[in-house]
Structures are given as C-alpha cells and as structure tokens.
Short mmCIF file of all heavy atoms in Angstrom, two decimals:
data_model
loop_
_atom_site.label_atom_id
_atom_site.label_comp_id
_atom_site.label_asym_id
_atom_site.label_seq_id
_atom_site.Cartn_x
_atom_site.Cartn_y
_atom_site.Cartn_z
N ILE R 1 143.04 -47.33 145.57
CA ILE R 1 144.20 -47.27 144.65
C ILE R 1 145.36 -47.95 145.36
O ILE R 1 146.22 -47.32 145.99
CB ILE R 1 144.53 -45.80 144.30
CG1 ILE R 1 143.29 -45.11 143.72
CG2 ILE R 1 145.67 -45.74 143.30
CD1 ILE R 1 143.46 -43.63 143.47
N ASN R 2 145.35 -49.27 145.27
CA ASN R 2 146.29 -50.08 146.04
C ASN R 2 146.55 -51.37 145.29
O ASN R 2 145.61 -52.05 144.85
CB ASN R 2 145.71 -50.37 147.43
CG ASN R 2 146.73 -50.97 148.38
OD1 ASN R 2 147.41 -51.94 148.05
ND2 ASN R 2 146.83 -50.38 149.57
N ILE R 3 147.81 -51.74 145.13
CA ILE R 3 148.17 -52.92 144.36
C ILE R 3 147.63 -54.20 145.00
O ILE R 3 147.45 -55.23 144.33
CB ILE R 3 149.71 -53.01 144.22
CG1 ILE R 3 150.10 -54.05 143.17
CG2 ILE R 3 150.36 -53.32 145.57
CD1 ILE R 3 151.57 -54.07 142.87
N HIS R 4 147.32 -54.17 146.29
CA HIS R 4 146.81 -55.36 146.98
C HIS R 4 145.29 -55.50 146.87
O HIS R 4 144.73 -56.49 147.34
CB HIS R 4 147.19 -55.30 148.46
CG HIS R 4 148.67 -55.36 148.70
ND1 HIS R 4 149.42 -56.48 148.46
CD2 HIS R 4 149.53 -54.41 149.13
CE1 HIS R 4 150.68 -56.24 148.76
NE2 HIS R 4 150.78 -54.98 149.16
N SER R 5 144.63 -54.53 146.26
CA SER R 5 143.18 -54.56 146.14
C SER R 5 142.77 -55.22 144.83
O SER R 5 143.13 -54.76 143.74
CB SER R 5 142.62 -53.14 146.20
OG SER R 5 141.25 -53.13 145.87
N THR R 6 141.98 -56.29 144.91
CA THR R 6 141.49 -56.93 143.69
C THR R 6 140.55 -55.99 142.93
O THR R 6 140.48 -56.05 141.69
CB THR R 6 140.74 -58.23 144.03
OG1 THR R 6 139.68 -57.94 144.95
CG2 THR R 6 141.68 -59.25 144.65
N GLU R 7 139.85 -55.11 143.65
CA GLU R 7 138.97 -54.16 142.99
C GLU R 7 139.77 -53.18 142.12
O GLU R 7 139.31 -52.77 141.06
CB GLU R 7 138.16 -53.38 144.03
CG GLU R 7 137.21 -54.25 144.85
CD GLU R 7 136.22 -54.98 143.98
OE1 GLU R 7 135.69 -54.36 143.03
OE2 GLU R 7 135.96 -56.17 144.24
N THR R 8 140.96 -52.82 142.58
CA THR R 8 141.81 -51.93 141.78
C THR R 8 142.21 -52.61 140.48
O THR R 8 142.18 -51.99 139.41
CB THR R 8 143.07 -51.56 142.58
OG1 THR R 8 142.69 -50.83 143.75
CG2 THR R 8 144.01 -50.70 141.74
N TRP R 9 142.60 -53.87 140.57
CA TRP R 9 142.98 -54.60 139.36
C TRP R 9 141.81 -54.73 138.40
O TRP R 9 141.97 -54.56 137.19
CB TRP R 9 143.51 -55.98 139.73
CG TRP R 9 144.90 -55.94 140.30
CD1 TRP R 9 145.25 -55.65 141.57
CD2 TRP R 9 146.12 -56.16 139.58
NE1 TRP R 9 146.62 -55.67 141.72
CE2 TRP R 9 147.18 -56.00 140.51
CE3 TRP R 9 146.43 -56.48 138.27
CZ2 TRP R 9 148.51 -56.15 140.15
CZ3 TRP R 9 147.76 -56.64 137.90
CH2 TRP R 9 148.79 -56.47 138.84
N LYS R 10 140.62 -55.00 138.90
CA LYS R 10 139.44 -55.09 138.04
C LYS R 10 139.14 -53.74 137.40
O LYS R 10 138.73 -53.67 136.23
CB LYS R 10 138.24 -55.57 138.86
CG LYS R 10 138.37 -57.01 139.35
CD LYS R 10 137.22 -57.38 140.26
CE LYS R 10 137.40 -58.80 140.82
NZ LYS R 10 136.31 -59.15 141.76
N PHE R 11 139.35 -52.67 138.16
CA PHE R 11 139.15 -51.32 137.64
C PHE R 11 140.12 -51.05 136.48
O PHE R 11 139.73 -50.52 135.43
CB PHE R 11 139.35 -50.32 138.77
CG PHE R 11 139.15 -48.89 138.38
CD1 PHE R 11 137.90 -48.41 138.04
CD2 PHE R 11 140.22 -48.00 138.36
CE1 PHE R 11 137.71 -47.08 137.69
CE2 PHE R 11 140.04 -46.68 138.00
CZ PHE R 11 138.78 -46.22 137.67
N ILE R 12 141.38 -51.44 136.68
CA ILE R 12 142.39 -51.24 135.62
C ILE R 12 142.04 -52.05 134.38
O ILE R 12 142.12 -51.56 133.25
CB ILE R 12 143.79 -51.63 136.15
CG1 ILE R 12 144.25 -50.64 137.23
CG2 ILE R 12 144.80 -51.68 135.01
CD1 ILE R 12 145.54 -51.05 137.91
N PHE R 13 141.64 -53.32 134.58
CA PHE R 13 141.26 -54.17 133.45
C PHE R 13 140.11 -53.56 132.66
O PHE R 13 140.11 -53.55 131.42
CB PHE R 13 140.86 -55.56 133.94
CG PHE R 13 142.02 -56.39 134.43
CD1 PHE R 13 141.86 -57.29 135.46
CD2 PHE R 13 143.28 -56.26 133.86
CE1 PHE R 13 142.91 -58.05 135.92
CE2 PHE R 13 144.35 -57.01 134.32
CZ PHE R 13 144.17 -57.91 135.35
N LEU R 14 139.12 -53.04 133.38
CA LEU R 14 137.96 -52.46 132.71
C LEU R 14 138.35 -51.24 131.90
O LEU R 14 137.95 -51.11 130.73
CB LEU R 14 136.90 -52.10 133.75
CG LEU R 14 135.63 -51.46 133.20
CD1 LEU R 14 134.91 -52.42 132.26
CD2 LEU R 14 134.70 -51.04 134.33
N ILE R 15 139.13 -50.34 132.51
CA ILE R 15 139.55 -49.13 131.79
C ILE R 15 140.39 -49.49 130.57
O ILE R 15 140.20 -48.95 129.47
CB ILE R 15 140.33 -48.19 132.73
CG1 ILE R 15 139.47 -47.77 133.92
CG2 ILE R 15 140.84 -46.98 131.97
CD1 ILE R 15 138.17 -47.12 133.53
N PHE R 16 141.33 -50.41 130.76
CA PHE R 16 142.20 -50.85 129.67
C PHE R 16 141.38 -51.44 128.54
O PHE R 16 141.60 -51.16 127.35
CB PHE R 16 143.20 -51.88 130.20
CG PHE R 16 144.57 -51.73 129.61
CD1 PHE R 16 145.64 -51.33 130.38
CD2 PHE R 16 144.79 -52.01 128.26
CE1 PHE R 16 146.91 -51.18 129.84
CE2 PHE R 16 146.06 -51.88 127.72
CZ PHE R 16 147.12 -51.47 128.51
N ALA R 17 140.40 -52.29 128.91
CA ALA R 17 139.58 -52.94 127.89
C ALA R 17 138.74 -51.92 127.12
O ALA R 17 138.62 -52.01 125.88
CB ALA R 17 138.67 -53.97 128.56
N VAL R 18 138.19 -50.93 127.82
CA VAL R 18 137.38 -49.90 127.15
C VAL R 18 138.23 -49.10 126.18
O VAL R 18 137.83 -48.84 125.03
CB VAL R 18 136.73 -48.97 128.20
CG1 VAL R 18 136.13 -47.74 127.53
CG2 VAL R 18 135.67 -49.72 128.98
N LEU R 19 139.44 -48.72 126.62
CA LEU R 19 140.33 -47.95 125.74
C LEU R 19 140.74 -48.75 124.52
O LEU R 19 140.79 -48.22 123.39
CB LEU R 19 141.57 -47.50 126.52
CG LEU R 19 141.33 -46.45 127.62
CD1 LEU R 19 142.62 -46.18 128.39
CD2 LEU R 19 140.80 -45.15 127.02
N LEU R 20 141.02 -50.04 124.71
CA LEU R 20 141.40 -50.88 123.57
C LEU R 20 140.26 -51.01 122.57
O LEU R 20 140.46 -50.93 121.35
CB LEU R 20 141.82 -52.27 124.07
CG LEU R 20 143.26 -52.45 124.54
CD1 LEU R 20 143.48 -53.85 125.09
CD2 LEU R 20 144.25 -52.16 123.41
N VAL R 21 139.06 -51.24 123.09
CA VAL R 21 137.90 -51.38 122.19
C VAL R 21 137.66 -50.10 121.41
O VAL R 21 137.43 -50.14 120.19
CB VAL R 21 136.65 -51.76 123.02
CG1 VAL R 21 135.39 -51.64 122.15
CG2 VAL R 21 136.77 -53.16 123.56
N LEU R 22 137.74 -48.95 122.10
CA LEU R 22 137.56 -47.68 121.40
C LEU R 22 138.62 -47.47 120.33
O LEU R 22 138.32 -47.00 119.22
CB LEU R 22 137.59 -46.52 122.41
CG LEU R 22 136.39 -46.41 123.36
CD1 LEU R 22 136.63 -45.30 124.38
CD2 LEU R 22 135.11 -46.11 122.57
N TYR R 23 139.86 -47.84 120.65
CA TYR R 23 140.95 -47.66 119.70
C TYR R 23 140.77 -48.57 118.49
O TYR R 23 140.96 -48.16 117.33
CB TYR R 23 142.27 -47.97 120.40
CG TYR R 23 143.50 -47.62 119.59
CD1 TYR R 23 143.87 -46.29 119.37
CD2 TYR R 23 144.30 -48.62 119.03
CE1 TYR R 23 144.99 -45.96 118.62
CE2 TYR R 23 145.42 -48.32 118.28
CZ TYR R 23 145.77 -46.99 118.07
OH TYR R 23 146.88 -46.67 117.33
N ILE R 24 140.37 -49.83 118.74
CA ILE R 24 140.16 -50.78 117.65
C ILE R 24 139.01 -50.34 116.75
O ILE R 24 139.11 -50.37 115.51
CB ILE R 24 139.89 -52.20 118.22
CG1 ILE R 24 141.16 -52.75 118.86
CG2 ILE R 24 139.40 -53.14 117.13
CD1 ILE R 24 140.93 -54.04 119.62
N VAL R 25 137.91 -49.91 117.37
CA VAL R 25 136.75 -49.45 116.59
C VAL R 25 137.13 -48.24 115.74
O VAL R 25 136.74 -48.14 114.56
CB VAL R 25 135.58 -49.10 117.54
CG1 VAL R 25 134.47 -48.39 116.76
CG2 VAL R 25 135.04 -50.37 118.18
N ARG R 26 137.89 -47.34 116.30
CA ARG R 26 138.31 -46.14 115.56
C ARG R 26 139.18 -46.51 114.37
O ARG R 26 138.98 -46.00 113.26
CB ARG R 26 139.06 -45.20 116.50
CG ARG R 26 139.60 -43.95 115.83
CD ARG R 26 140.19 -43.00 116.86
NE ARG R 26 140.91 -41.92 116.21
CZ ARG R 26 142.18 -41.99 115.83
NH1 ARG R 26 142.88 -43.09 116.08
NH2 ARG R 26 142.76 -40.96 115.23
N LYS R 27 140.14 -47.41 114.59
CA LYS R 27 141.02 -47.84 113.49
C LYS R 27 140.24 -48.59 112.41
O LYS R 27 140.48 -48.41 111.21
CB LYS R 27 142.14 -48.72 114.03
CG LYS R 27 143.20 -47.98 114.85
CD LYS R 27 143.98 -46.99 113.98
CE LYS R 27 145.09 -46.32 114.78
NZ LYS R 27 145.83 -45.33 113.95
N ALA R 28 139.30 -49.42 112.85
CA ALA R 28 138.50 -50.18 111.88
C ALA R 28 137.63 -49.26 111.05
O ALA R 28 137.47 -49.44 109.83
CB ALA R 28 137.64 -51.20 112.63
N LYS R 29 137.04 -48.25 111.70
CA LYS R 29 136.21 -47.30 110.98
C LYS R 29 137.03 -46.51 109.98
O LYS R 29 136.58 -46.23 108.86
CB LYS R 29 135.54 -46.38 111.99
CG LYS R 29 134.52 -45.42 111.37
CD LYS R 29 133.83 -44.59 112.45
CE LYS R 29 132.81 -43.67 111.81
NZ LYS R 29 132.11 -42.84 112.84
N LYS R 30 138.24 -46.15 110.40
CA LYS R 30 139.12 -45.37 109.52
C LYS R 30 139.54 -46.21 108.32
O LYS R 30 139.71 -45.69 107.22
CB LYS R 30 140.34 -44.91 110.31
CG LYS R 30 141.24 -43.94 109.56
CD LYS R 30 142.35 -43.44 110.46
CE LYS R 30 143.24 -42.45 109.72
NZ LYS R 30 144.32 -41.93 110.59
N ALA R 31 139.73 -47.53 108.54
CA ALA R 31 140.15 -48.42 107.45
C ALA R 31 138.97 -48.93 106.64
O ALA R 31 139.16 -49.66 105.66
CB ALA R 31 140.92 -49.61 108.04
N GLY R 32 137.76 -48.57 107.04
CA GLY R 32 136.58 -48.99 106.30
C GLY R 32 136.22 -50.45 106.51
O GLY R 32 135.54 -51.04 105.65
N GLN R 33 136.62 -51.04 107.59
CA GLN R 33 136.31 -52.46 107.85
C GLN R 33 135.15 -52.56 108.84
O GLN R 33 135.14 -51.90 109.88
CB GLN R 33 137.53 -53.17 108.43
CG GLN R 33 138.69 -53.28 107.43
CD GLN R 33 139.74 -54.26 107.93
OE1 GLN R 33 139.50 -55.02 108.84
NE2 GLN R 33 140.90 -54.25 107.28
N SER R 34 134.18 -53.40 108.48
CA SER R 34 133.03 -53.62 109.35
C SER R 34 133.24 -54.82 110.27
O SER R 34 132.55 -54.97 111.27
CB SER R 34 131.77 -53.85 108.51
OG SER R 34 131.95 -54.97 107.63
N LYS R 35 134.20 -55.69 109.93
CA LYS R 35 134.48 -56.88 110.71
C LYS R 35 135.93 -56.85 111.18
O LYS R 35 136.84 -56.65 110.37
CB LYS R 35 134.23 -58.14 109.88
CG LYS R 35 134.33 -59.42 110.67
CD LYS R 35 133.98 -60.62 109.79
CE LYS R 35 134.06 -61.92 110.59
NZ LYS R 35 133.73 -63.09 109.74
N ILE R 36 136.14 -57.05 112.47
CA ILE R 36 137.48 -56.95 113.04
C ILE R 36 138.04 -58.35 113.27
O ILE R 36 137.43 -59.17 113.96
CB ILE R 36 137.46 -56.18 114.37
CG1 ILE R 36 136.90 -54.78 114.14
CG2 ILE R 36 138.84 -56.12 114.99
CD1 ILE R 36 136.65 -54.01 115.41
N GLU R 37 139.17 -58.64 112.63
CA GLU R 37 139.81 -59.94 112.77
C GLU R 37 141.19 -59.77 113.40
O GLU R 37 141.72 -58.66 113.51
CB GLU R 37 139.93 -60.62 111.40
CG GLU R 37 138.58 -60.89 110.74
CD GLU R 37 138.75 -61.52 109.37
OE1 GLU R 37 139.90 -61.57 108.88
OE2 GLU R 37 137.74 -61.95 108.79
N LEU R 38 141.79 -60.91 113.80
CA LEU R 38 143.09 -60.90 114.45
C LEU R 38 144.15 -60.30 113.54
O LEU R 38 145.04 -59.57 113.99
CB LEU R 38 143.49 -62.32 114.87
CG LEU R 38 144.80 -62.44 115.65
CD1 LEU R 38 144.72 -61.66 116.96
CD2 LEU R 38 145.12 -63.91 115.93
N SER R 39 144.08 -60.57 112.26
CA SER R 39 145.07 -60.04 111.31
C SER R 39 145.02 -58.53 111.25
O SER R 39 146.04 -57.86 111.07
CB SER R 39 144.82 -60.62 109.91
OG SER R 39 143.50 -60.30 109.49
#
C-alpha cells in the first residue's frame, strides 16, 4: 500500500474497474437494457 508501487496502482485499477462494471450492469438491468452503449 504505497503510491510508489506499480502493483498498488494496478490493484486500484482492477478494483475500480470491477466496481464500475458491477454498477453499469446493475443500472442496465434495472433499465431493462441488454446492450450497454456510451449514451
């Protein structure tokens, strides 16, 4: 857990990406959309 560690940054990116994907999938399911677009 150190700002100078590249492994820490990769860990943060992975966690952030997983949370974003889960959030997007949840919103899409709630909106009834099977395809996720930029709009």
Side-chain angles (χ1 to χ4, degrees):
I1 304 174
N2 191 310
I3 192 173
H4 296 291
S5 170
T6 56
E7 296 301 318
T8 297
W9 285 82
K10 293 175 183 177
F11 181 69
I12 292 173
F13 289 147
L14 179 62
I15 300 304
F16 218 112
V18 169
L19 292 175
L20 276 176
V21 169
L22 290 175
Y23 189 72
I24 290 172
V25 170
R26 177 173 170 274
K27 288 295 184 182
K29 186 177 181 180
K30 188 175 181 179
Q33 293 193 14
S34 58
K35 187 176 181 181
I36 301 172
E37 298 178 351
L38 184 62
S39 58

